Amino acid sequence: MSETKLVDENSLIGIAATFWQQYSAKTPQKLKIMDAFSLYCFILVIIQLFYCALVGDFPRNSFLSGIFASAGALIINICLRKQLNPETRYMEISNERAFWEYLAAMVVLFLTVINFLG
Amino acid sequence: MSSEEETQQSLPYKVHKSTLKWAPVFNMTILLSIAIISCLIRVFSVIRYESIIHEFDPWFNYRTTQYLVKEGPYALWNWYDSESWYPLGRSVGGTVYPGLMMTSGMIYWVLHKLSIPIDIRNVCVFLAPIFSAFTSLAAYGMTKEITKRSEAGLLSALFVAIVPSYMSRSVAGSYDNEGVSIFALVFTFYTFLKTVNTGSILWGVYTALAFFYMVASWGGYAFIINIIPIFVLFLLITGRSNSRIQVAYNVFYILGTLLAMQIPFVGFQALHSSEHMASHAVFILINFLNFFSWIRNFVSKKAIITLTKFLIVFLVFSILVGVVILTLAGKTQWSGRSLTLLDPTYAKKYIPIIASVSEHQATTWSSFFFDLHYLILFSPVGLYYCYNKPTETKIFGALYTVLGVYFASVMVRLLLVLAPAVSIMAGIGISWAFRKFAKSVRSFILPKIEKPKKYRIPPEISIIGLVILGYYCSIYVLHANFAGSEAYASPSIILSSRDRQGNRNIIDDYREAYYWLRMNTRPDDKIMSWWDYGYQITGMSNRTVLVDNNTWNNTHIATVGMAMASSEEDAFEICEKLDVDYVLVIFGGILNYSGDDINKFLWMVRIGGGVYPHIKEEDYYGKGTYRVDQYATETMTNSLMYRLSYYRFDEVQTAYGQPKGYDTVRQAVIGVKGYKLRHFEEAFTSENWIVRIFKRKQRENRDGVAFTSKSTSQFTIPKEFSPVTKFSKKANTKQRSTLNFQNNE
């Protein structure tokens, strides 16, 4: 019969737990690595915002270039992940070609960031 | 299966093999000839007059390009121009859109490296026609993305190549931002539509780079950065959003905003100004929704309901907090020009300078028809086609047209932004109609392979329809030719008239006067004139001016306006404080030239009165209207503008049968004649009296006990010319952070 559950499934914590379990089971290893990198970029953004709140954003150029570098890397990662994930792929091109386009976007992003660093 | 066999299989009748093979060649040939036509129709003024820079604004761009070519790009970034806005100067590197100058500089550099020594003036004059050829190619690409048919693309390319509205701002010699930026606009839209169609990140990168070029060229990039988020939001609301759109917008937004910040003139405004707020909001929105729909894959159904509730509350809260509070706290501000676009009466009430520019007036029907002609008739057909079986790109085309119509109605200048949209829609509409007619004629003539299932238009009606549409297209081409040769091919700096025998008489007064200034004044003399002529004076005479067409400092312009509107004694005091050596006025009373300073005088009074309240507009009206004859008020006839314009005018007979001193523009004999000027002396008057230059005399000896009128003793010119007054704050927030106060004595 039904077992007693330790955590209520519909509270936010329960949702998080269910999510984590399903996520670990369903996603392939490669996508998990990409997601780890995306999470890292997101944490970088949070850390930079926190630092800015503490100390102020005096060389605003540098602050903005840091934020844009990490946020931009995050967004472009998400775009690549959509293409690589076999469930949600939307273009009929090979994985290598998708990766090459991803690299092109990253190159433009980081060149601009370096120009903006001041 | 070769492409020819594919095409053959898709058609219900037998087509000759050579037709299929030669079709792409026809395509390319027609496209090439369209590009050549668009170049050729713009060079009328070079053939008629000479290769010269037209109008007012292009002279500043030309001078900046000369500086760039001589000193190099780094010098341009750091250039502080002390020859304009004396005594303030102007930081050019931070207040100019460098795309146009950089493009000409690059072309000049490449040509010189290839040992083709073309003068920089010719590069600048012919830049706009060459880029209009590129625009027609980009319009071909954009239409092909919208409809997937090359015949619609060809028609659109033809229409864009010769549409009079675009031609007016890109003739040979009109070296202005729009010449390059309309190409950037259409090209950005083309790459964006390609990204939306394919979903590839690489095309998103190309879109961001094209957008970067657009931001570098023109302030109108705010149109792109608003229309694309509106488009994405529209697709989201109507349920057509998919991964390709999200990828396209994400890549475009991140790279585009970052690249926009590289231009010093835009700088951090890309984040703060209200013109960009829509793009931030839509970016956050679609990524949020994306994230939550991704999480939904992993949790149970009941949890989704909780999550959705949580999401909605969070979103509404953050939008309220974010947008409303930021706007109220004044952290984000609309610039004065953008507010004018939303509320057309805003500028008239608060910022008279913006209201006085003739390009910023509301558009009349006659401008619409003259500038767009039959395209207005056919673009609703194209809109209907986009509405019939909508895909994402068709929705974008329709949205661009509708928004363009709104903005074109607000300001005459923005009719230019509508021109590509209307051309593309008209091209789509006409090609759709042509296709239907041609299908019925073809199925009537050629042997059929399969039975026609659908109702076809009877072939007689199709032939009549084809003839009528072809006639309309040819009328459009004739009209465009007329507009290009008669209406828009005059360099305002050279005028021409015809006498009774039909001989052409060239009126070259402007250049005569500017050259006189260049040759007969000291290099550091300061010239005071109305702001319209500032760029031309610095460009052609190479002298320092007080105010010019950039109009960034309302107080300084108001001071010049006050000087023109005050009596001769007061104006002498003001000129002495401002170190003015020469005063330049434009007078059209002899030649019936209605663009002169007496006609603009009321605007000087209004702008001056906006900052110095002792100048009242009613004082200059005699008997209720603005006049210069015997009923003009004393304030009017004592004003510096009146005195300088009509000095010694009573010695000239201008029209047959009228007494001496008859002003042909105002059509009245002037009221006050035979007066002498005390503090100014006439230095130069051009051949037809159009440009008159007066030198400020030194203060007379033993003048210490001279009487000065109440007006100057009560109101002194402010010590530092602060650029931020309570009137100009809203209009000048852009320039606040880039001003440098340097003393240029």
Side-chain angles (χ1 to χ4, degrees), chain A residues 9-10 12 15 18-19 22-23 26-27 35 60-61 64 68 71-72 75-76 78-82 87-88 90-91 97 100-102 104-105 108-109 112-113 115-116, chain B residues 198-203 205 209 243-244 246-247 250-251 253-255 257-259 261-262 268 271-272 283 287 290 294-295 297-300 302-304 306-307 310:
Chain A
E9 230 181 33
N10 289 340
L12 278 177
I15 294 177
T18 334
F19 166 75
Q22 291 280 334
Y23 170 75
K26 279 195 197 169
T27 45
D35 287 342
R60 199 183 257 191
N61 277 10
L64 281 177
F68 264 98
I75 295 293
I76 301 182
I78 294 180
C79 295
L80 180 65
R81 188 185 188 277
K82 264 201 178 205
E87 293 165 22
T88 62
Y90 53 87
M91 261 201 338
R97 160 100 193 214
W100 184 83
E101 294 188 353
Y102 163 81
V108 172
L109 176 75
T112 318
V113 161
N115 179 42
F116 199 45
Chain B
T198 59
S200 116
I201 298 183
L202 185 65
W203 278 99
V205 171
L209 290 175
S243 306
R244 287 178 279 126
Q246 289 167 3
V247 165
N250 273 331
V251 176
Y253 171 78
I254 283 286
L255 290 179
T257 311
L258 185 60
L259 283 168
M261 287 200 286
Q262 309 303 309
F268 299 131
L271 294 179
H272 297 320
F283 171 70
N287 278 321
N290 208 9
W294 178 65
I295 289 189
N297 290 335
F298 301 105
V299 292
S300 66
K302 276 202 208 129
I304 292 176
T306 330
L307 267 186
F310 176 69

Side-chain angles (χ1 to χ4, degrees), chain B residues 334-349:
Chain B
W334 293 89
S335 74
R337 288 195 190 167
S338 310
L339 276 173
T340 315
L341 290 180
L342 293 179
D343 171 21
T345 58
Y346 176 80
K348 249 204 160 69
K349 283 185 266 179

Side-chain angles (χ1 to χ4, degrees), chain A:
Chain A
M1 307 316 293
S2 60
E3 313 144 11
T4 53
K5 298 217 183 339
L6 289 169
V7 178
D8 176 20
E9 230 181 33
N10 289 340
S11 73
L12 278 177
I13 301 183
I15 294 177
T18 334
F19 166 75
W20 181 248
Q21 182 202 16
Q22 291 280 334
Y23 170 75
S24 321
K26 279 195 197 169
T27 45
Q29 182 69 8
K30 283 191 185 157
L31 287 183
K32 275 196 205 164
I33 298 180
M34 278 197 75
D35 287 342
F37 181 53
S38 305
L39 185 65
Y40 168 67
C41 292
F42 187 64
I43 293 181
L44 273 185
V45 176
I46 303 290
I47 291 180
Q48 283 175 351
L49 284 175
F50 187 56
Y51 181 75
C52 166
L54 270 184
V55 180
D57 63 344
F58 163 58
R60 199 183 257 191
N61 277 10
S62 324
F63 165 64
L64 281 177
S65 36
I67 294 277
F68 264 98
S70 22
L74 172 68
I75 295 293
I76 301 182
N77 261 343
I78 294 180
C79 295
L80 180 65
R81 188 185 188 277
K82 264 201 178 205
Q83 171 65 17
L84 291 182
N85 189 359
E87 293 165 22
T88 62
R89 74 186 312 158
Y90 53 87
M91 261 201 338
E92 296 306 318
I93 54 176
S94 62
N95 277 357
E96 284 76 23
R97 160 100 193 214
F99 192 64
W100 184 83
E101 294 188 353
Y102 163 81
L103 278 183
M106 284 297 207
V107 162
V108 172
L109 176 75
F110 280 103
L111 275 179
T112 318
V113 161
I114 291 173
N115 179 42
F116 199 45
L117 271 176

